[in-house]
Amino acid sequence: MTKISELKVGESLPEVKLSPVSRLDLIKYAGASGDYNPIHTIDEEAKKAGLPGIIAHGMWTMGNLAKLFTPYYEEGFVQDYSVRFKSMVFLNDVVTLKAMVKEKEDHALRFDVAAINQDGKEVVKGEVVFSIY
């Protein structure tokens, strides 16, 4: 595995492809986060809200994006992390996580990050600053 500190501008971290989103994923996340909004776990409530079905918590997707950096925590840490939620994630969606080096300074790399569904649509887009120890 390449060290994160050796990456150059334009290079990417290995993509992470998540398993299809399951109801259990969202129920567990609701419990962990305290976000019990029923549009995330109950079909009828999501439909009453005008949605075609239950949707994943935006923060569930954002939290998963951080998995891209987990293998590199011996080298540094996520110093800053910001995203925009661009589209909804539904049950059975398969989300792929991506990160590409946008800028490199002495002890920090700035990444463009994205979560993309199985149709190639960006559902979350953002930026991560990873600081090297």
Side-chain angles (χ1 to χ4, degrees):
M1 179 172 75
T2 303
K3 288 187 165 198
I4 200 167
S5 58
E6 296 172 354
L7 291 174
K8 295 174 180 42
V9 172
E11 293 184 324
S12 297
L13 294 177
E15 292 180 0
V16 173
K17 186 175 183 178
L18 302 177
S19 298
V21 178
S22 73
R23 187 179 309 270
L24 184 57
D25 291 333
L26 303 182
I27 290 169
K28 286 179 179 180
Y29 187 81
S33 68
D35 181 351
Y36 296 103
N37 187 327
I39 66 169
H40 300 303
T41 55
I42 302 171
D43 295 305
E44 297 78 24
E45 294 299 319
K47 288 185 170 112
K48 279 188 211 172
L51 299 167
I54 67 173
I55 61 171
H57 306 72
M59 296 301 287
W60 178 87
T61 309
M62 182 181 179
N64 273 299
L65 258 173
K67 288 179 179 179
L68 289 163
F69 299 92
T70 303
Y72 306 102
Y73 287 141
E74 289 183 6
E75 290 184 66
F77 60 96
V78 173
Q79 177 184 335
D80 193 25
Y81 186 15
S82 61
V83 299
R84 292 192 66 211
F85 302 104
K86 301 197 53 157
S87 190
M88 291 180 267
V89 174
F90 297 95
L91 280 183
N92 300 313
D93 277 0
V94 176
V95 177
T96 300
L97 313 173
K98 300 181 178 196
M100 185 185 72
V101 179
K102 181 165 88 171
E103 294 176 18
K104 188 171 182 180
E105 298 174 9
D106 291 336
H107 296 287
L109 291 96
R110 185 175 304 271
F111 287 86
D112 282 331
V113 294
I116 298 164
N117 71 13
Q118 68 280 355
D119 298 321
K121 186 174 187 176
E122 274 186 341
V123 294
V124 174
K125 181 179 178 136
E127 187 174 274
V128 167
V129 176
F130 190 90
S131 288
I132 307 295
Y133 295 128

